[in-house]
Amino acid sequence: QVQLVQSGGGLAQPGGSLRLSCAASGIVFSNYRMGWYRQAPGKQRDMVAYIGGSGHTNYADSVKGRFTISRDGAKNTVYLQMDSLTVEDTAVYYCTADRIFNPNSPRYWGQGTQVTVSS
């Protein structure tokens, strides 16, 4: 059974930082591309960042230079370090896992974590 269990998030002030974690189980971690999506109220769910098994990363333009995605194979965990937060970063954040080189495999989702940026 695949599980993605998220932690972190919460409330931050503009300009502040938060870190999200996502611990994966039930998968061979190195075979999965790990990512983060977010959904603000009334908006669609958008990709924030992802990291491949080899460490290749990709970011949405809106977070480049402010967010950093990383993974720890020993802990089967992916992280999202969020710096220089703005109110526009307020959303529910979701961790994802996609099987590399197998587009027919399902995408797995974490349970979601609220991030609120407010003064």
Side-chain angles (χ1 to χ4, degrees):
Q1 181 183 2
V2 178
Q3 283 193 313
L4 301 178
V5 179
Q6 298 178 216
S7 59
L11 176 65
Q13 292 187 337
S17 298
L18 288 171
R19 189 175 84 153
L20 305 180
S21 301
C22 173
S25 61
I27 61 173
V28 178
F29 190 66
S30 60
N31 289 343
Y32 281 76
R33 185 180 73 181
M34 304 300 295
W36 291 94
Y37 280 68
R38 68 185 181 186
Q39 187 167 21
K43 295 187 178 181
Q44 67 180 22
R45 192 172 295 186
D46 292 325
M47 188 276 290
V48 175
Y50 64 77
I51 183 168
S54 61
H56 172 75
T57 59
N58 192 40
Y59 296 91
D61 288 343
S62 59
V63 306
K64 280 181 181 177
R66 300 188 300 118
F67 290 11
T68 303
I69 189 170
S70 61
R71 61 192 294 160
D72 184 337
K75 297 181 179 180
N76 282 9
T77 299
V78 61
Y79 304 96
L80 185 67
Q81 177 66 39
M82 304 182 292
D83 299 317
S84 302
L85 286 163
T86 72
V87 294
E88 286 74 30
D89 295 317
T90 296
V92 178
Y93 285 70
Y94 297 90
C95 171
T96 61
D98 291 278
R99 182 70 167 86
I100 298 170
F101 301 129
N102 192 343
N104 294 323
S105 292
R107 167 174 289 168
Y108 299 104
W109 293 86
Q111 81 274 19
T113 301
Q114 178 68 48
V115 170
T116 302
V117 184
S118 175
S119 56

